[in-house]
Short mmCIF file of all heavy atoms in Angstrom, two decimals:
data_model
loop_
_atom_site.label_atom_id
_atom_site.label_comp_id
_atom_site.label_asym_id
_atom_site.label_seq_id
_atom_site.Cartn_x
_atom_site.Cartn_y
_atom_site.Cartn_z
N HIS B 7 -4.65 4.63 -5.79
CA HIS B 7 -5.09 5.90 -6.36
C HIS B 7 -3.92 6.57 -7.06
O HIS B 7 -2.82 6.61 -6.53
CB HIS B 7 -5.61 6.83 -5.26
CG HIS B 7 -6.05 8.16 -5.77
ND1 HIS B 7 -7.27 8.36 -6.39
CD2 HIS B 7 -5.41 9.35 -5.80
CE1 HIS B 7 -7.35 9.61 -6.76
NE2 HIS B 7 -6.26 10.24 -6.41
N PRO B 8 -4.11 7.05 -8.28
CA PRO B 8 -5.36 7.00 -9.04
C PRO B 8 -5.54 5.66 -9.73
O PRO B 8 -4.63 4.84 -9.75
CB PRO B 8 -5.14 8.11 -10.07
CG PRO B 8 -3.67 8.10 -10.30
CD PRO B 8 -3.04 7.76 -8.99
N SER B 9 -6.68 5.43 -10.29
CA SER B 9 -6.94 4.20 -11.03
C SER B 9 -6.37 4.29 -12.43
O SER B 9 -6.02 3.28 -13.03
CB SER B 9 -8.43 3.89 -11.09
OG SER B 9 -9.13 4.98 -11.63
N TRP B 10 -6.26 5.53 -12.95
CA TRP B 10 -5.60 5.71 -14.21
C TRP B 10 -5.03 7.13 -14.25
O TRP B 10 -5.55 8.05 -13.61
CB TRP B 10 -6.52 5.47 -15.40
CG TRP B 10 -7.72 6.35 -15.45
CD1 TRP B 10 -8.94 6.12 -14.91
CD2 TRP B 10 -7.82 7.65 -16.07
NE1 TRP B 10 -9.79 7.16 -15.14
CE2 TRP B 10 -9.13 8.12 -15.86
CE3 TRP B 10 -6.92 8.45 -16.78
CZ2 TRP B 10 -9.56 9.34 -16.34
CZ3 TRP B 10 -7.35 9.68 -17.27
CH2 TRP B 10 -8.67 10.10 -17.04
N VAL B 11 -3.94 7.28 -14.96
CA VAL B 11 -3.30 8.58 -15.08
C VAL B 11 -2.62 8.69 -16.43
O VAL B 11 -2.00 7.74 -16.89
CB VAL B 11 -2.32 8.84 -13.91
CG1 VAL B 11 -1.25 7.75 -13.83
CG2 VAL B 11 -1.67 10.18 -14.01
N ILE B 12 -2.76 9.87 -17.02
CA ILE B 12 -2.08 10.19 -18.27
C ILE B 12 -1.18 11.38 -17.99
O ILE B 12 -1.62 12.37 -17.40
CB ILE B 12 -3.08 10.52 -19.38
CG1 ILE B 12 -4.03 9.34 -19.62
CG2 ILE B 12 -2.34 10.87 -20.68
CD1 ILE B 12 -5.16 9.66 -20.59
N CYS B 13 0.08 11.25 -18.37
CA CYS B 13 0.99 12.35 -18.11
C CYS B 13 1.92 12.56 -19.30
O CYS B 13 2.03 11.70 -20.19
CB CYS B 13 1.81 12.08 -16.86
SG CYS B 13 3.02 10.76 -17.03
N LYS B 14 2.56 13.70 -19.29
CA LYS B 14 3.51 14.03 -20.35
C LYS B 14 4.87 13.45 -20.03
O LYS B 14 5.25 13.32 -18.86
CB LYS B 14 3.62 15.54 -20.53
CG LYS B 14 2.36 16.18 -21.09
CD LYS B 14 2.58 17.68 -21.30
CE LYS B 14 1.34 18.34 -21.88
NZ LYS B 14 1.54 19.81 -22.09
N SER B 15 5.62 13.14 -21.06
CA SER B 15 6.96 12.62 -20.89
C SER B 15 7.81 13.64 -20.10
O SER B 15 7.74 14.83 -20.34
CB SER B 15 7.57 12.39 -22.26
OG SER B 15 8.82 11.75 -22.15
N GLY B 16 8.55 13.13 -19.14
CA GLY B 16 9.41 13.99 -18.33
C GLY B 16 8.84 14.38 -16.99
O GLY B 16 9.57 14.87 -16.10
N THR B 17 7.56 14.18 -16.83
CA THR B 17 6.94 14.51 -15.53
C THR B 17 7.00 13.30 -14.60
O THR B 17 7.31 12.19 -15.02
CB THR B 17 5.48 14.94 -15.72
OG1 THR B 17 4.74 13.86 -16.32
CG2 THR B 17 5.39 16.15 -16.63
N SER B 18 6.70 13.56 -13.33
CA SER B 18 6.71 12.50 -12.34
C SER B 18 5.28 12.19 -11.91
O SER B 18 4.44 13.09 -11.86
CB SER B 18 7.55 12.90 -11.12
OG SER B 18 8.91 13.03 -11.48
N VAL B 19 5.04 10.95 -11.61
CA VAL B 19 3.71 10.50 -11.23
C VAL B 19 3.79 9.71 -9.94
O VAL B 19 4.65 8.83 -9.80
CB VAL B 19 3.09 9.61 -12.34
CG1 VAL B 19 1.76 9.02 -11.88
CG2 VAL B 19 2.93 10.39 -13.61
N LYS B 20 2.90 10.00 -9.02
CA LYS B 20 2.87 9.29 -7.76
C LYS B 20 1.62 8.41 -7.67
O LYS B 20 0.50 8.89 -7.93
CB LYS B 20 2.89 10.25 -6.57
CG LYS B 20 2.85 9.54 -5.21
CD LYS B 20 2.77 10.49 -4.06
CE LYS B 20 4.07 11.14 -3.76
NZ LYS B 20 4.04 11.94 -2.51
N ILE B 21 1.80 7.17 -7.30
CA ILE B 21 0.69 6.23 -7.14
C ILE B 21 0.65 5.81 -5.68
O ILE B 21 1.68 5.44 -5.11
CB ILE B 21 0.88 4.98 -8.03
CG1 ILE B 21 1.01 5.40 -9.50
CG2 ILE B 21 -0.28 4.00 -7.84
CD1 ILE B 21 1.42 4.25 -10.41
N GLU B 22 -0.54 5.88 -5.10
CA GLU B 22 -0.70 5.51 -3.70
C GLU B 22 -1.34 4.14 -3.55
O GLU B 22 -2.22 3.77 -4.31
CB GLU B 22 -1.59 6.53 -2.98
CG GLU B 22 -0.96 7.90 -2.81
CD GLU B 22 -1.85 8.81 -1.98
OE1 GLU B 22 -3.01 8.44 -1.71
OE2 GLU B 22 -1.37 9.89 -1.61
N CYS B 23 -0.90 3.43 -2.57
CA CYS B 23 -1.44 2.12 -2.24
C CYS B 23 -1.76 2.12 -0.74
O CYS B 23 -0.88 2.37 0.09
CB CYS B 23 -0.43 1.02 -2.57
SG CYS B 23 -0.95 -0.65 -2.14
N ARG B 24 -3.03 1.87 -0.43
CA ARG B 24 -3.45 1.91 0.96
C ARG B 24 -4.12 0.60 1.38
O ARG B 24 -4.95 0.06 0.63
CB ARG B 24 -4.44 3.05 1.20
CG ARG B 24 -3.89 4.43 1.04
CD ARG B 24 -4.93 5.49 1.33
NE ARG B 24 -4.39 6.83 1.08
CZ ARG B 24 -3.75 7.57 1.96
NH1 ARG B 24 -3.57 7.08 3.18
NH2 ARG B 24 -3.31 8.75 1.64
#
Side-chain angles (χ1 to χ4, degrees):
Chain B
H7 179 79
S9 55
W10 60 269
V11 57
I12 301 173
C13 70
K14 292 183 179 180
S15 186
T17 61
S18 294
V19 174
K20 180 185 283 188
I21 302 170
E22 292 186 349
C23 178
R24 293 182 184 272

